[in-house]
Amino acid sequence: MKLKYLSTPLPPQERMMPVRAMTASPNMNKLAAVVEDRTIVLFDDKGAQRDRFSTKPIDGKYSKRSYIVLSLAFSPDSASLAVGQSDNVVFVYKIGADWNEKKVITNKLVQTGAVTALAWPFDDKVLIGLIDGKMRVGLLKQNKCASLYKTEMGVIGLATSSKRTSFVSSHMDGSIILYNFASKTQEKLCTHSCAAYSIAFTAHAIVAGGADRRIMCYSENGIVQQTFDFSSVDEREFSSLIADPTGQNFVAGSFDRDESLKYETNSVEIREEKTR
């Protein structure tokens, strides 16, 4: 896989303005990103801004500065967006298939802690990871949640398999847990070398990265398949990982560049592209 620069949807600012969450729609037509004022900006597949809308706190009595948006996830049909917030709530917005449609909140799912990770594998079910260590599922038709499992450490990452048969959650103590949808069971796969703030579920492995500047590939049995160590080069911590729809390629992002990795027959070939 070769990455190609297309555009800069959000130009750099004179002061720190972190993009706390962003996600691409399954149909690859939309990109959603949260900017500093808690507004969600929508871009098209060319990187042009096409729409934007404001988020809201869990209760109208609180100000907009009472929370931040921590996670986003598009629905499988790309027409809705789940928004996870630090004030213990998930809002689901119907944004429509086209641009500039009216944004309507269809679900409000109150949680027991800040919503640190989201994934939306099925039309009527949203996976919700919380800072208090709980993994929950939002049942959208009933507008309620059910618990999947609970750990002692906060959830910091979620990734579903391309076949939607299972998902993995990563936690602040480095643990990675695999949940199977069919059997409704979970098991601890391994303890990563650090907190895996970035995690991806590819066709061949579960890939994790974090502050120690290493990318590790695990089997679904928790066995380390490969390790890519960037600690000896001019690299910073890995803050994001994303697999393409085929599960054959994934990209790891750090401070000022990304590492592109592709699966070959029995190996992973790294193609590095430095970004500005």
Side-chain angles (χ1 to χ4, degrees), residues 80-83 89-94 104-110 120 123-124 126 138-144:
S80 296
L81 185 70
V83 179
V89 69
V90 176
F91 285 110
V92 177
Y93 292 82
K94 183 179 180 182
V104 178
I105 294 176
T106 58
N107 297 89
K108 178 183 178 181
L109 305 171
V110 177
W120 198 333
D123 290 338
D124 59 341
V126 178
L139 307 172
L140 301 183
K141 290 181 179 179
Q142 294 93 338
N143 197 35
K144 65 180 184 180

Side-chain angles (χ1 to χ4, degrees), residues 166-187:
S166 54
F167 73 87
V168 287
S169 62
S170 57
H171 299 258
M172 295 181 70
D173 62 349
S175 60
I176 297 176
I177 294 175
L178 174 68
Y179 183 89
N180 185 279
F181 289 120
S183 63
K184 297 182 180 180
T185 59
Q186 76 275 357
E187 61 175 323

Side-chain angles (χ1 to χ4, degrees), residues 64 89 145 155 226 248:
K64 285 207 69 171
V89 69
C145 289
V155 181
Q226 286 182 282
Q248 297 294 326

Side-chain angles (χ1 to χ4, degrees), residues 14-82:
E14 295 297 325
R15 56 193 176 90
M16 289 292 290
M17 295 183 66
V19 178
R20 299 189 182 278
M22 62 190 302
T23 186
S25 62
N27 64 10
M28 306 305 291
N29 290 333
K30 296 176 181 177
L31 174 70
V34 182
V35 294
E36 185 188 32
D37 64 355
R38 299 156 185 81
T39 297
I40 294 177
V41 186
L42 298 173
F43 304 91
D44 63 19
D45 57 354
K46 301 296 188 299
Q49 182 177 322
R50 299 293 299 273
D51 204 353
R52 62 191 296 141
F53 63 95
S54 297
T55 58
K56 59 186 293 183
I58 187 172
D59 192 293
K61 66 183 179 182
Y62 301 114
S63 72
K64 285 207 69 171
R65 293 186 176 275
S66 65
Y67 71 98
I68 57 175
V69 176
L70 296 174
S71 50
L72 298 171
F74 270 104
S75 61
D77 65 1
S78 304
S80 296
L81 185 70

Side-chain angles (χ1 to χ4, degrees), residues 122-134:
F122 306 108
D123 290 338
D124 59 341
K125 295 181 177 66
V126 178
L127 300 176
I128 303 168
L130 304 180
I131 194 65
D132 62 8
K134 293 179 183 175

